[in-house]
Amino acid sequence: MAPSVRRRCMLLLCLTAIQIGHAAVQTCMDKHQVVGVLRQMEKFLKGQEMRFTEGLRIMKSKLATLQNSVSKLPQADQSAAPTTCPSLEAPAHGSKFGSKYFVGHEVHFTCSQGYHLVGSATRVCRDNGTWTGVGAICKDISECVSNPCQNGGTCVEGANQYKCTCPQNWSGSHCQHQTQTAPPEWSVMNDPAFSRRPRCAQVNRAQHCSCDAGFHMSGTSDNSICQDVNECEVYRLDQGGKLCIHECVNVPGSYHCSCPSGFKLLPDGRGCEDVDECLSQQHNCSRGTTCINTGGGFQCVNPECPRSHGNISYVKTSPFQCERNPCPMESRSCHLAPKTVSFHYLSLTSNLQTPATLFRMATAAAPGRTGPDSLRFGIVGGNSRGIFVMQRSDRQTGELILVQQLRGPQEISVDVDMSEYSDRTFQAKHVARVHIMVSPYNF
């Protein structure tokens, strides 16, 4: 082979500027060396391609897993837009209690006096955005059913009231008076103590007679007499009310008001105020009991803690509170039992206007500790079915509300509870036993 051809072949087998590390080295190799280098480069590229493909496969797998996890959580958006139920209106002639329409919230309905409820008194918002129960309506209670009209009178229904149409010779709101024989309702007759002789004088040859204040002239001009005016009846007939808050006592020429036992007359001479026997030390409660003032009286109380059973026992920490003793770790029933039981005594007047908030129950966290993130309130006992509702007033407070008027004297008990939850897990329960004493008076 000629020298020129040999030089060209060697040039073809010469690799120039092959980068090794950070240095570029110019070298010439023979054919076998070049083939070896090419095979190493091919292996290196295949390895890089396999690692890239495997990394891409792992990334796709993780993205698919994340997407499946998100699709299985339909409630994830509820924190931004909680499921609600349609708004509910108060029935005609009734009231509605509860203004939140989120899932789990309750709405209560009651009717005004003279109406009764037909339908559901309580409705709860369900997870699917609908309410439990059926719509509530208030139907009129016929007052003529009790036959209030006497002596053949006819009862006529009106708007929330009735009227008696009386037969001839009978009168009064219930046809209870005979027209031809009934004396004036405001005049005191047939009692000498309530009669006076008039004061008479001759004026211009004519006799003029008059009566003292609190009396009126009765009889003929030849035989006149001053009869007492019953101011209590005059005020009732003219004003449609009562001159005294409790009892009006008519006396000759005047009147005075009286109060029942356990009350004192106010400076205005008409109203009555309860005497607080506990505050004024006018009670006879023995040691170990506590005096509770009531309308017109008092009670001596000493509430007892719930009886021990199983692993559950209580200790009295104050006159009106018991606390549960520590529970064994394995006793689930003990942990579900009330952590505290408190006792509360309320005195109410008869026919208190409703709705009326009587009692509030709230939670408070110990210093340095976070409180529960959710509370649930409810009525769990007592003898007060349908008289009260328990509803939330804010995030940490529940209210016991009287929804039916009460007439005394009577005593009612109602047990309300407050359950604490953290991350939807039950933490503790507290029970308040409310004892309500209704006075027979409305003042």
Side-chain angles (χ1 to χ4, degrees):
M1 182 181 293
S4 60
V5 176
R6 188 181 299 113
R7 282 195 299 270
R8 283 196 300 268
C9 291
M10 292 182 67
L11 286 173
L12 288 174
L13 295 176
C14 183
L15 297 177
T16 60
I18 294 178
Q19 188 172 353
I20 300 176
H22 294 283
V25 180
Q26 186 174 3
T27 181
C28 291
M29 304 179 185
D30 59 22
K31 179 179 179 181
H32 294 291
Q33 289 176 325
V34 171
V35 172
V37 170
L38 290 177
R39 286 178 178 174
Q40 290 179 1
M41 291 294 295
E42 183 179 8
K43 289 181 180 179
F44 172 76
L45 292 175
K46 283 184 178 181
Q48 292 295 326
E49 182 181 7
M50 290 178 64
R51 281 192 289 272
F52 175 79
T53 303
E54 179 64 16
L56 186 61
R57 186 189 65 79
I58 293 173
M59 184 177 294
K60 287 183 177 180
S61 175
K62 290 184 177 180
L63 286 175
T65 302
L66 179 60
Q67 186 174 3
N68 290 336
S69 300
V70 172
S71 64
K72 291 179 181 178
L73 297 173
Q75 297 181 349
D77 295 335
Q78 288 189 355
S79 60
T83 300
T84 61
C85 290
S87 62
L88 297 175
E89 300 296 331
H93 310 293
S95 303
K96 179 190 73 171
F97 303 93
S99 58
K100 292 183 173 59
Y101 305 136
F102 298 124
V103 171
H105 279 77
E106 299 179 356
V107 175
H108 308 274
F109 302 95
T110 61
C111 292
S112 305
Q113 189 171 2
Y115 294 85
H116 70 279
L117 185 72
V118 177
S120 299
T122 300
R123 303 186 71 181
V124 182
C125 182
R126 295 185 286 206
D127 293 336
N128 60 2
T130 62
W131 293 99
T132 61
V134 296
I137 59 175
C138 295
K139 287 193 174 181
D140 182 32
I141 299 174
S142 174
E143 298 193 39
C144 287
V145 172
S146 61
N147 299 318
C149 303
Q150 305 172 19
N151 302 304
T154 302
C155 184
V156 180
E157 292 280 0
N160 300 330
Q161 60 182 356
Y162 67 91
K163 182 179 180 181
C164 290
T165 302
C166 301
Q168 190 176 3
N169 299 329
W170 292 93
S171 64
S173 58
H174 297 89
C175 305
Q176 71 272 31
H177 298 307
Q178 278 189 284
T179 306
Q180 70 272 27
T181 61
E185 293 186 52
W186 46 264
S187 179
V188 179
M189 307 293 289
N190 304 321
D191 189 341
F194 289 84
S195 300
R196 299 284 189 275
R197 294 187 64 83
R199 295 191 306 269
C200 298
Q202 291 286 337
V203 179
N204 297 329
R205 298 182 181 181
Q207 181 170 284
H208 294 269
C209 298
S210 64
C211 295
D212 293 334
F215 292 86
H216 72 100
M217 193 74 71
S218 178
T220 65
S221 57
D222 296 330
N223 187 22
S224 60
I225 190 170
C226 293
Q227 296 287 352
D228 175 62
V229 174
N230 188 336
E231 292 85 358
C232 303
E233 285 299 304
V234 170
Y235 188 88
R236 183 182 66 84
L237 295 172
D238 290 349
Q239 304 293 329
K242 299 171 68 175
L243 186 57
C244 300
I245 195 69
H246 176 58
E247 184 178 0
C248 182
V249 180
N250 186 58
V251 296
S254 185
Y255 75 94
H256 70 264
C257 298
S258 68
C259 296
S261 176
F263 293 83
K264 61 182 179 181
L265 197 64
L266 290 174
D268 63 5
R270 297 177 57 186
C272 295
E273 182 181 55
D274 176 53
V275 175
D276 191 336
E277 293 84 357
C278 301
L279 185 62
S280 58
Q281 298 296 317
Q282 300 180 36
H283 63 85
N284 57 356
C285 295
S286 60
R287 183 182 298 273
T289 64
T290 303
C291 179
I292 300 294
N293 186 61
T294 63
F298 65 92
Q299 286 190 9
C300 302
V301 302
N302 182 23
E304 296 182 355
C305 295
R307 293 182 179 179
S308 300
H309 59 281
N311 293 322
I312 306 170
S313 62
Y314 290 85
V315 61
K316 205 168 189 180
T317 56
S318 73
F320 298 107
Q321 179 156 316
C322 300
E323 294 188 9
R324 189 188 67 209
N325 286 314
C327 294
M329 291 296 294
E330 70 281 0
S331 177
R332 185 172 182 271
S333 61
C334 181
H335 288 285
L336 294 177
K339 186 176 182 180
T340 63
V341 178
S342 57
F343 303 88
H344 308 266
Y345 296 87
L346 304 178
S347 179
L348 302 183
T349 61
S350 279
N351 300 320
L352 180 67
Q353 186 174 359
T354 58
T357 300
L358 303 183
F359 176 78
R360 288 185 173 89
M361 198 172 187
T363 185
R369 303 180 67 178
T370 59
D373 54 27
S374 177
L375 296 175
R376 295 180 186 176
F377 300 92
I379 295 176
V380 294
N383 58 347
S384 59
R385 184 176 180 84
I387 299 176
F388 306 95
V389 296
M390 190 74 182
Q391 72 177 30
R392 187 192 304 270
S393 61
D394 57 41
R395 185 173 176 272
Q396 298 291 339
T397 307
E399 294 181 336
L400 179 67
I401 300 177
L402 176 69
V403 296
Q404 289 188 22
Q405 287 189 337
L406 301 175
R407 185 184 297 273
Q410 64 170 312
E411 296 187 12
I412 297 174
S413 296
V414 56
D415 294 350
V416 297
D417 77 345
M418 176 182 68
S419 297
E420 301 176 349
Y421 289 82
S422 180
D423 293 331
R424 299 185 179 182
T425 301
F426 175 81
Q427 300 295 318
K429 178 168 65 175
H430 306 272
V431 171
R433 293 183 173 174
V434 185
H435 190 74
I436 299 171
M437 298 153 287
V438 186
S439 164
Y441 312 108
N442 59 355
F443 50 83

